[in-house]
Amino acid sequence: MLAEDDWENWKTLQNKIKEKILLIGDDLTATNQLRMKKAIEMGAIGGVIIKLNQAGTLTETIECCKMATNAGIVLIPSHRGGGESNDTFLSDLAVAVGAEYIKVGITRGKGWRNTTG
């Protein structure tokens, strides 16, 4: 596993696997415009997890998405912890920013029930 500030090894790994595997940045970029810019300049990722709560505002989140998309980086909007909400806003955001993937799902709380008995 690569650390969130191990920029050189992210770049090295991306260069080795980019033709076969999508290397996804999460804490590396943290939905932060400065970190996204650095990842783009270094060619450190092929995809990115986008979390609205990390950026702080919807505007900042969308700007990060634009930066990534313009650089050919695959977008994967995600709930904070992988999907602990019944809110459907994330689906709307994914469509609005043209995301290729979305990471959602009820992992606990209301909305989940065992239907297998």
Side-chain angles (χ1 to χ4, degrees):
M1 179 168 13
L2 299 173
E4 62 193 50
D5 288 317
D6 192 0
W7 291 97
E8 287 301 322
N9 283 317
W10 277 89
K11 178 182 175 181
T12 299
L13 182 59
Q14 170 67 0
N15 287 333
K16 286 182 180 181
I17 68 171
K18 65 183 171 185
E19 299 303 320
K20 296 181 181 183
I21 298 172
L22 188 60
L23 183 59
I24 308 295
D26 186 354
D27 291 341
L28 181 73
T29 56
T31 316
N32 175 284
Q33 291 180 51
L34 294 176
R35 294 183 71 86
M36 182 69 71
K37 181 179 181 203
K38 184 171 182 175
I40 291 166
E41 289 172 351
M42 292 187 75
I45 57 175
V48 64
I49 299 288
I50 297 292
K51 296 177 186 167
L52 178 60
N53 69 298
Q54 287 178 323
T57 70
L58 182 56
T59 300
E60 291 172 285
T61 301
I62 291 172
E63 288 304 314
C64 267
C65 290
K66 286 179 185 177
M67 290 173 69
T69 299
N70 289 339
I73 294 172
V74 173
L75 298 175
I76 308 167
S78 172
H79 285 291
R80 183 178 60 85
E84 63 282 325
S85 173
N86 293 332
D87 188 351
T88 59
F89 172 76
L90 192 62
S91 299
D92 298 327
L93 177 64
V95 170
V97 298
E100 294 182 48
Y101 301 97
I102 184 172
K103 181 182 169 197
V104 295
I106 303 299
T107 56
R108 58 189 169 276
K110 293 182 179 179
W112 180 89
R113 63 186 173 109
N114 183 350
T115 59
T116 61

